[in-house]
Amino acid sequence: MPNSSSISEFLLLALADTRQLQLLHFWLLLGIYLAALLGNGLISTAVACDHRLHTPMYFFLLNLALLDLGCISTTLPKAMANALWGTRDISYAGCATQVFFFLFLFSTEYYLLTIMSYDRYVAICKPLHYGT
């Protein structure tokens, strides 16, 4: 009989042990999630609907809002579910998927912020070369 082991799930540390604190954490996380959805949704709607905001900087801002929506949507729903249902486990595939999407979206946000800062640099320091 070969000695082998495989990882099928991970146990997460609980934010709180008492049920009241778990529900408090759920409501706090839900408030943060809804605020992020509302704020980024308003930014996306404003940039998409107003033709005066169809400039390069607002295009980058729209992409940043969408990336932020994706970044917060990879981790908070699972954390809210764990707080609400009192579960503490996540599958190996689910953990790997969360880590992949979180790192991908977070690194893309940093690249986009770098591009946005270069865009502002060109607009301020070389205004004749900057076309809007």
Side-chain angles (χ1 to χ4, degrees):
M1 181 157 86
N3 186 8
S4 66
S5 61
S6 63
I7 298 172
S8 62
E9 64 183 22
F10 292 113
L11 291 178
L12 303 171
L13 290 176
L15 293 174
D17 293 331
T18 61
R19 185 68 183 148
Q20 290 83 12
L21 285 176
Q22 287 176 345
L23 290 176
L24 176 66
H25 286 146
F26 169 76
W27 289 110
L28 286 173
L29 291 174
L30 181 65
I32 291 169
Y33 189 61
L34 291 177
L37 286 177
L38 179 67
N40 290 317
L42 287 175
I43 290 172
S44 301
T45 304
V47 172
C49 292
D50 193 358
H51 70 281
R52 293 173 293 172
L53 300 179
H54 291 178
T55 61
M57 191 63 187
Y58 289 107
F59 172 75
F60 294 137
L61 191 63
L62 171 68
N63 285 320
L64 190 64
L66 293 176
L67 283 171
D68 190 41
L69 279 174
C71 201
I72 201 166
S73 294
T74 58
T75 55
L76 272 185
K78 180 64 176 169
M80 289 188 307
N82 288 343
L84 183 63
W85 294 322
T87 58
R88 294 181 55 195
D89 58 339
I90 184 171
S91 68
Y92 180 75
C95 181
T97 304
Q98 268 191 352
V99 167
F100 171 75
F101 279 113
F102 186 75
L103 290 177
F104 174 73
L105 292 168
F106 207 65
S107 62
T108 307
E109 276 191 38
Y110 276 122
Y111 292 134
L112 188 62
L113 286 171
T114 304
I115 292 169
M116 288 172 72
S117 65
Y118 182 73
D119 179 61
R120 289 294 90 194
Y121 165 77
V122 171
I124 292 169
C125 295
K126 300 178 181 182
L128 297 177
H129 294 127
Y130 187 77
T132 55

